Amino acid sequence: MPSLFQHPNFLHFWIGQIASSFAFQMLSVGIGWQMYDLTNSPMALGLVGLCQFLPQLLLTLVVGHVADRYNRRLICVCTRLTMAMTVAILAYGNITATISANMIYACAALLGTARAFEMPANQAILPNLIPNVLLSRAVSAMASAREISVIAGPALGGLIYLLGPTTLYLSSMSCFLISCIIMFFLRYNFTVKSKSPISIEHLFGGLTFIRGNKVILGSVSLDMFAVLLGGATALLPIVAKDILHTGPWGLGLLRCAPALGALLMSVYLARHPLTHSVGKIMFAAVAIFGVATIIFGLSENLILSMLALVLLGASDMISVVIRSTLVQLETPDDMRGRVSAANSVFIGSSNQLGEFESGVTAAWFGVVPAIVIGGAGTIAVVGLWMYLFPDLLKRHTLDKANE
């Protein structure tokens, strides 16, 4: 770990990621709680996730091309500035008492659009900052940066929300601006390695690459379907309020519990990288994710619910590190933007679209059955994917050259 942070550019990038993640996690508490207060509807919470996901899906081909052709650092600066301005709109809506569900939906769509451009650019920068031999540790360290903010952000966001949603939104906006400034001064030399004319083949290059690599396709799709079915974060406001009978502070604790498990696991993996049986480890981790989801769905105790979420976060982190490292190591640099954009669709499907799925199933079957069914579905996906992707199951090391 010390050798990794001896690279000043990586340290700079790492701090900027913490600030941005911190802003988004605080914001998620505010939007979720305020939307449920305004509508008292699980479906409304799901629609917020859908509004964030749709721009990411629709812009996949465009954002990948942009990340491969233009300065990735400046893309991150512009997108984070856009997110800060979007949060300012929410703050203004509360100051003027004009906030509404439709305003939140519109801002969620703007945030989704900005994140659609940010994610592939942000992911594609990392391999250019450190040697390949440190990439697995770097992925774990970046994950720890995100999880540090996911732990502190929601907990602090829940407390700040007690002072009013305006205060929370202004705090989130400030963190986005800080991240924007940090990224602006990142030392990153951008070069375009390919100036071939834009074509359909070029735009679809990322999806084509993933489809042709069964190990990458299996890992990203496994993670997508597992979290799509088993993710219940959109329902946390309902679980906190109606099942566990707690307030915004309790919601903050629930939101940071998965991050605590993920942080502990990411720190461990940064110091002890996975060196063998990575395919089997990934399948086992996703199965544990499903079991933890079922325990969370059946729990009526805040402590037990938090413990289940800690286990859920730790197991998910193993999957994230394996998937992210495989994608980065096996993708040429001039394609990393397009491949990262395609990968972002899988991630977005598992997160934002998963929130929509959770909202719909909760509206149909109830909150507890929706969570339990999702966890069982995750376990079923693990069994099916072990059959469909034997190459992933047999994968021994992260770097194929070391097999």
Side-chain angles (χ1 to χ4, degrees), residues 234-304:
L235 303 178
L236 287 182
I238 305 174
V239 172
K241 189 173 184 179
D242 297 342
I243 297 177
L244 302 179
H245 307 292
T246 185
W249 65 271
L251 173 61
L253 291 175
L254 289 174
R255 290 195 69 93
C256 75
L260 176 60
L263 174 61
L264 295 174
M265 182 57 69
S266 65
V267 170
Y268 176 82
L269 292 176
R271 294 182 177 275
H272 306 281
L274 297 171
T275 58
H276 59 84
S277 304
V278 295
K280 294 177 182 178
I281 290 174
M282 183 174 188
F283 280 111
V286 176
I288 293 173
F289 180 92
V291 172
T293 299
I294 294 174
I295 294 173
F296 172 72
L298 297 175
S299 171
E300 296 181 356
N301 178 273
L302 178 61
I303 301 299
L304 178 58

Side-chain angles (χ1 to χ4, degrees), residues 169-189:
Y169 292 139
L170 291 176
S171 300
S172 175
M173 180 189 71
S174 300
C175 288
F176 275 128
L177 290 175
I178 291 172
S179 176
C180 182
I181 294 171
I182 291 174
M183 286 298 295
F184 183 80
F185 290 102
L186 176 70
R187 292 195 299 264
Y188 168 69
N189 295 321

Side-chain angles (χ1 to χ4, degrees), residues 55-68:
Q56 192 171 320
L57 176 64
L58 297 175
L59 295 171
T60 300
L61 302 180
V62 176
V63 300
H65 167 73
V66 169
D68 280 337

Side-chain angles (χ1 to χ4, degrees), residues 72-245:
R72 294 162 181 169
R73 175 181 63 85
L74 293 181
I75 293 172
C76 291
V77 170
C78 292
T79 53
R80 291 176 188 179
L81 180 60
T82 301
M83 286 187 271
M85 294 172 64
T86 302
V87 180
I89 294 174
L90 292 172
Y92 176 79
N94 280 276
I95 292 172
T96 59
T98 57
I99 192 72
S100 66
N102 287 335
M103 179 181 287
I104 294 177
Y105 289 142
C107 287
L110 284 174
L111 288 168
T113 301
R115 283 174 64 82
F117 282 92
E118 181 205 29
M119 290 179 69
N122 192 61
Q123 292 172 17
I125 286 177
L126 183 58
N128 301 132
L129 301 179
I130 43 90
N132 281 347
V133 69
L134 294 175
L135 186 56
S136 176
R137 292 190 177 191
V139 169
S140 298
M142 291 304 300
S144 70
R146 183 178 64 251
E147 302 308 335
I148 287 171
S149 58
V150 172
I151 291 172
L156 184 58
L159 292 175
I160 294 176
Y161 195 90
L162 296 176
L163 302 176
T166 301
T167 305
L168 184 140
Y169 292 139
L170 291 176
S171 300
S172 175
M173 180 189 71
S174 300
C175 288
F176 275 128
L177 290 175
I178 291 172
S179 176
C180 182
I181 294 171
I182 291 174
M183 286 298 295
F184 183 80
F185 290 102
L186 176 70
R187 292 195 299 264
Y188 168 69
N189 295 321
F190 173 76
T191 57
V192 178
K193 296 187 177 181
S194 173
K195 295 185 179 180
S196 58
I198 300 175
S199 63
I200 296 297
E201 291 76 13
H202 175 82
L203 293 176
F204 279 89
L207 291 171
T208 302
F209 181 85
I210 291 177
R211 186 182 62 183
N213 189 310
K214 298 302 182 182
V215 170
I216 292 181
L217 178 61
S219 63
V220 297
S221 59
L222 171 65
D223 186 81
M224 180 189 76
F225 281 106
V227 180
L228 173 64
L229 294 171
T233 55
L235 303 178
L236 287 182
I238 305 174
V239 172
K241 189 173 184 179
D242 297 342
I243 297 177
L244 302 179
H245 307 292

